[in-house]
Amino acid sequence: MSKFTFGMSIGLKRRNLPPARKRRSPVESPNATITIPALQQMKHDGRKIVGVVAWDFQIAQIVDRVGVDIVSVGDTVGINLWGHSTPLEITMDEMLVVCKAVRRGVRRALVSCDFPFGPLQEGTDAALRAAILMVKEAGADMVKLDGAAQFPDAVRAISRAGIPVFAQLGITPQTALQYGIPYSAASKPGAQVPADLTTKLVEEAKLLEAAGASLLDFTNSGPIAGAAVAAAVSIPVIGGFGGGPWLDGRMRMAHAAVGYAASNLDSHIENYANVANIVFDAMAAYVEDVRAGRQIKGAAPAEATP
């Protein structure tokens, strides 16, 4: 036994820590691996699909353990974690790094990785290369294409290559300007596609299904267009902003759901938690302990004997 270990054993005492809480998943079979056919069966059975946007290994582990069906690696990581002004600034290399991190944390859910702005717009060959890269290098189970209805040939080529396509339509980060809406407005919960565009969006959804898309993300759908699109296609239609129970499921950023943003410190929006306030209070206590010359919490498994 080293002098250090001996000194620790006789001069320090263990803290009496409470036992860790056992967490139970809210789903019946949290260990069952999710597949595309399983999602399609959920739509057929009327069971709602749960999607979460995540950008890091730790959150990915937590949401996968909870029992979500889809973990989507969104290009919104640039705005929410890196301080970008729009998602259009994200590069392919950056998306690969983030997708790899999330992939390492997910065992049972399907992992979807967003295309950054560029590969889809550059043509079908570029889009196919990007999709293959996301699957081979980053471990994605499927790829998400923003504005996919304008590129049905790319959807068809990627699907033909055996890669499931998660096609996004509606007012999305990459298509907002087509509707004359800035991204800042499109990303607000109240934003919805105009009801008079319902017929056009139903046609787009059918086009994407025919091209081989496995899943649709209808952003800012609203109850009129959203319900019409979900009823018009056999593949699942889920959505985040502007979505609701009229869709086959929902998508939500994990950070938003738990209130983990500086803006939540002064926000009264109802989330499932307010992690920002918890972090603020915890860090304030840490600062006070250091300035007062006290031992900080969690720094060592034991404390000095008085």
Side-chain angles (χ1 to χ4, degrees):
M1 180 182 294
S2 69
K3 291 182 179 179
F4 176 77
T5 304
F6 179 75
M8 288 285 289
S9 65
I10 64 173
L12 301 175
K13 65 180 182 181
R14 296 287 180 183
R15 289 183 180 137
N16 293 321
L17 299 176
R21 290 176 57 191
K22 291 185 178 181
R23 304 286 181 177
R24 294 184 60 188
S25 170
V27 298
E28 293 180 1
S29 302
N31 297 320
T33 301
I34 304 300
T35 64
I36 295 295
L39 295 182
Q40 294 169 342
Q41 187 63 45
M42 289 178 71
K43 171 168 180 148
H44 181 268
D45 295 342
R47 291 179 290 134
K48 299 298 184 183
I49 297 167
V50 182
V52 168
V53 177
W55 307 300
D56 64 85
F57 175 69
Q58 300 297 341
I59 292 293
Q61 290 184 95
I62 294 170
V63 298
D64 191 49
R65 183 173 169 182
V66 165
V68 303
D69 305 305
I70 302 168
V71 181
S72 179
V73 185
D75 56 2
T76 47
V77 60
I79 290 178
N80 292 283
L81 292 190
W82 301 340
H84 291 181
S85 58
T86 77
L88 306 184
E89 299 176 51
I90 287 290
T91 67
M92 186 65 173
D93 287 342
E94 290 170 334
M95 284 304 304
L96 291 173
V97 169
V98 180
C99 192
K100 287 178 183 179
V102 171
R103 173 76 275 173
R104 295 183 193 109
V106 175
R107 294 184 178 182
R108 54 169 300 283
L110 283 168
V111 175
S112 171
C113 194
D114 279 17
F115 265 28
F117 185 78
L120 192 59
Q121 290 73 18
E122 290 169 2
T124 299
D125 290 343
L128 180 57
R129 286 194 298 270
I132 293 172
L133 190 63
M134 284 184 161
V135 172
K136 288 185 65 176
E137 190 169 317
D141 295 311
M142 57 183 172
V143 294
K144 188 174 178 184
L145 310 183
D146 191 341
Q150 282 69 51
F151 304 95
D153 289 342
V155 175
R156 193 171 293 108
I158 294 170
S159 178
R160 189 182 299 123
I163 300 173
V165 174
F166 189 8
Q168 190 172 13
L169 73 161
I171 304 176
T172 72
Q174 296 182 20
T175 64
L177 293 179
Q178 296 178 13
Y179 294 92
I181 300 173
Y183 172 74
S184 58
S187 60
K188 292 181 179 179
Q192 296 182 7
V193 296
D196 57 6
L197 291 177
T198 298
T199 300
K200 176 179 181 294
L201 289 164
V202 166
E203 292 174 354
E204 288 186 2
K206 289 181 176 180
L207 173 68
L208 289 167
E209 181 178 28
S214 299
L215 194 69
L216 298 181
D217 181 1
F218 193 171
T219 307
N220 295 307
S221 69
I224 298 175
V229 167
V233 295
S234 62
I235 58 177
V237 182
I238 67 175
F241 281 133
W246 49 84
L247 299 177
D248 299 314
R250 298 301 303 276
M251 181 71 69
R252 183 75 165 137
M253 290 190 300
H255 284 61
V258 302
Y260 182 43
S263 58
N264 291 112
L265 293 173
D266 305 306
S267 173
H268 298 290
I269 296 176
E270 183 179 2
N271 293 311
Y272 292 95
N274 193 316
V275 172
N277 281 334
I278 296 173
V279 171
F280 185 94
D281 293 342
M283 295 311 299
Y286 163 72
V287 170
E288 291 177 2
D289 281 348
V290 173
R291 298 212 189 280
R294 295 187 290 264
Q295 177 60 286
I296 61 175
K297 295 180 179 180
E303 61 185 6
T305 303

